[in-house]
Amino acid sequence: MIDEVGELLREAAARAVLPWFNQLSAEHITEKAPGDLVTVADQQAEEVIAAGLRRLAPGSVVVGEEAVAVDPRLLRRLGDAGRVWLVDPIDGTANYAAGRRPFVMMVALLAGGEPVASWILDPVAGSLVSAERGSGCWVDGVRLTSPSTMPPVGRLRGAVPLEYLPVPVRAAVEAGGDRVGAVLPGQHCAGREHWDIAAGEQDFAVFWRTLPWDHVPGTLLVRETGGVAMRLDGSPYDFTDDRSGLLVARTDAAWQEVRAALLPAG
């Protein structure tokens, strides 16, 4: 279903996302919670994607970000034994609502509660990255490879959106920032950050919020290119665990270096 889901995302982009880009007015944008925006495009895109996924896999369950906002009980379905689709119709909604990039569209397929495939589409560029557990990761049909070497810690570059971190964690990152090559402000689009790590455009990213639709699709990409995604204490990322804090890096060695530089024990 790799190709079919990719085409479905392109269809949803053409029908519901691109037509609204730079065309939204105030009545098309609301807040689900303070600072958490949703647009008419998010809602329409999720409807198109959910309907298409159910056609592709009859009997499967769709857990979409916007549907969960209406009925949080849907989150319980992520651990179902059968096939479950996790959908983020627009990741980077604040960017999208402001008429700027990046923003992406994401889907992950779970089987028995484990991610087995994922897709991320950049609808403006028309570029698609997909991954299948144990089989690799591709951008527009070109396989991404694991890095053979990594730069020293003093040249590692990564995103850390400081405004989302609690004060003690922010202070630690600011104090350790000169130990790495660059601490970037982040793109306000988790899917793009994961994509850039998998593609080697950056080496790491730190996230505070770890909602499943934001990170399940992208962490599979990263793992399929030799990277790691772990909690700040070194435990594996488990999307059923609602703790805050996630460090993603291109390799385990880079993860360890960044953790020691920016988030030392204690």
Side-chain angles (χ1 to χ4, degrees):
M1 274 186 256
I2 294 294
D3 292 341
E4 290 89 342
V5 175
E7 287 306 309
L8 175 60
L9 285 175
R10 295 186 190 281
E11 175 191 349
R15 289 176 54 186
V17 176
L18 294 175
W20 285 107
F21 187 43
N22 280 316
Q23 302 298 319
L24 296 169
S25 54
E27 66 266 26
H28 300 132
I29 306 168
T30 57
E31 282 189 321
K32 294 180 286 188
D36 189 6
L37 301 182
V38 60
T39 74
V40 63
D42 293 83
Q43 295 163 335
Q44 291 180 0
E46 184 165 303
E47 290 172 3
V48 173
I49 295 167
L53 293 174
R54 293 187 182 103
R55 286 194 302 269
L56 285 174
S60 61
V61 174
V62 179
V63 178
E65 177 182 2
E66 308 314 329
V68 170
V70 175
D71 183 3
R73 293 173 299 177
L74 278 173
L75 277 173
R76 302 173 190 168
R77 303 302 302 273
L78 292 179
D80 282 9
R83 289 180 292 186
V84 178
W85 302 97
L86 183 59
V87 177
D88 189 342
I90 301 178
D91 179 52
T93 296
N95 290 342
Y96 178 83
R100 63 175 181 260
R101 300 169 66 191
F103 58 90
V104 297
M105 304 167 67
M106 303 197 291
V107 170
L109 175 61
L110 312 179
E114 294 293 331
V116 295
S118 67
W119 298 257
I120 302 180
L121 175 71
D122 179 334
V124 176
S127 190
L128 177 74
V129 60
S130 60
E132 188 174 1
R133 187 176 65 185
S135 297
C137 178
W138 302 264
V139 175
D140 300 327
V142 178
R143 184 165 186 166
L144 297 178
T145 57
S146 303
S148 56
T149 61
M150 285 295 294
V153 63
R155 290 173 52 199
L156 295 176
R157 301 171 65 259
V160 188
L162 295 174
E163 65 268 31
Y164 298 117
L165 301 180
V167 171
V169 180
R170 186 188 316 150
V173 171
E174 290 175 332
D178 59 356
R179 301 187 189 114
V180 299
V183 174
L184 308 173
Q187 302 175 77
H188 302 284
C189 178
R192 187 72 240 185
E193 304 288 6
H194 290 299
W195 185 332
D196 286 352
I197 294 170
E201 299 296 325
Q202 63 186 33
D203 302 306
F204 67 89
V206 175
F207 305 95
W208 192 247
R209 294 208 319 164
T210 61
L211 295 166
W213 43 78
D214 287 335
H215 298 292
V216 171
T219 53
L220 183 59
L221 305 183
V222 171
R223 288 196 297 271
E224 287 299 315
T225 53
V228 295
M230 293 191 286
R231 297 289 183 177
L232 304 186
D233 63 3
S235 58
Y237 171 57
D238 176 356
F239 62 85
T240 65
D241 178 353
D242 62 2
R243 285 184 299 160
S244 300
L246 178 66
L247 171 57
V248 182
R250 289 199 77 202
T251 66
D252 181 71
W255 193 98
Q256 300 296 338
E257 294 275 19
V258 172
R259 175 67 174 80
L262 300 183
L263 301 160

